[in-house]
């Protein structure tokens, strides 16, 4: 079974940094697309970023929503089946429960979700 476990959330002040981790198991890591989503209180879930490991070229494509570009970055540790979301220059509006999800390729729905990890940014 595909399993994802997200962790690393916490409370930080404005301008601080956090690194979220998404540990994956049960599937061939480099055949998948891994995404990060977040849901703030009273708001709908939104996509934050994704990295497409299902890529037959040597480079790996990634995507970031506009509001996090330049502040968030994804990285991977293929040997440990872990995807990281490095978050810096955090803002109060980044406060949310963050989820990681996996899908077996680009353009198909995410079909596996990890539990959320809470990020709180306070001023």
């Amino acid at each position: 079974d595909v399993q994802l476990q997200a962790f690393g959330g916490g409370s930080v002040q404005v301008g601080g940094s956090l690194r979220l981790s998404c540990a994956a198991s049960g599937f061939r890591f480099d055949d998948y697309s891994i995404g990060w989503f977040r849901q703030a209180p009273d708001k709908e879930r939104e996509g934050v970023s994704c990295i497409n490991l299902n890529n037959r070229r040597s480079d790996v494509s990634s995507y970031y929503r506009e509001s996090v570009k330049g502040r968030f970055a994804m990285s991977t540790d293929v040997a440990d089946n872990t995807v990281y979301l490095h978050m810096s220059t955090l803002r109060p509006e980044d406060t949310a429960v963050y989820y990681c999800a996996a899908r077996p390729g680009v353009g198909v729905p995410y079909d596996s979700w990890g539990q959320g990890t809470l990020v709180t940014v306070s001023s």
Side-chain angles (χ1 to χ4, degrees):
D1 290 345
V2 174
Q3 292 189 351
L4 301 169
Q5 184 176 11
F7 54 94
S11 297
V12 296
Q13 292 189 327
V14 170
S17 300
L18 278 175
R19 186 185 74 172
L20 304 184
S21 302
C22 177
S25 62
F27 62 97
R28 185 182 170 91
F29 192 65
D30 57 359
D31 279 347
Y32 271 66
S33 176
I34 307 293
W36 284 98
F37 295 79
R38 67 186 181 187
Q39 187 165 19
D42 299 324
K43 292 188 177 180
E44 293 189 354
R45 185 175 62 198
E46 62 183 19
V48 175
S49 64
C50 72
I51 190 164
N52 300 316
L53 303 174
N54 184 11
N55 192 323
R56 301 190 184 282
R57 299 174 298 173
S58 60
D59 58 312
V60 175
S61 61
S62 59
Y63 157 83
Y64 299 90
R65 73 179 299 111
E66 193 63 34
S67 62
V68 307
K69 284 181 180 178
R71 300 188 299 120
F72 291 12
M74 293 183 72
S75 65
T76 61
D77 184 334
V78 177
D80 285 343
N81 270 22
T82 300
V83 174
Y84 301 100
L85 182 66
H86 306 266
M87 306 186 296
S88 61
T89 321
L90 284 162
R91 304 168 180 171
E93 54 265 38
D94 295 319
T95 295
V97 177
Y98 284 71
Y99 303 86
C100 62
R103 57 183 178 179
V106 177
V108 298
Y110 287 92
D111 57 7
S112 298
W113 292 81
Q115 88 291 354
T117 185
L118 176 63
V119 173
T120 303
V121 184
S122 57
S123 56

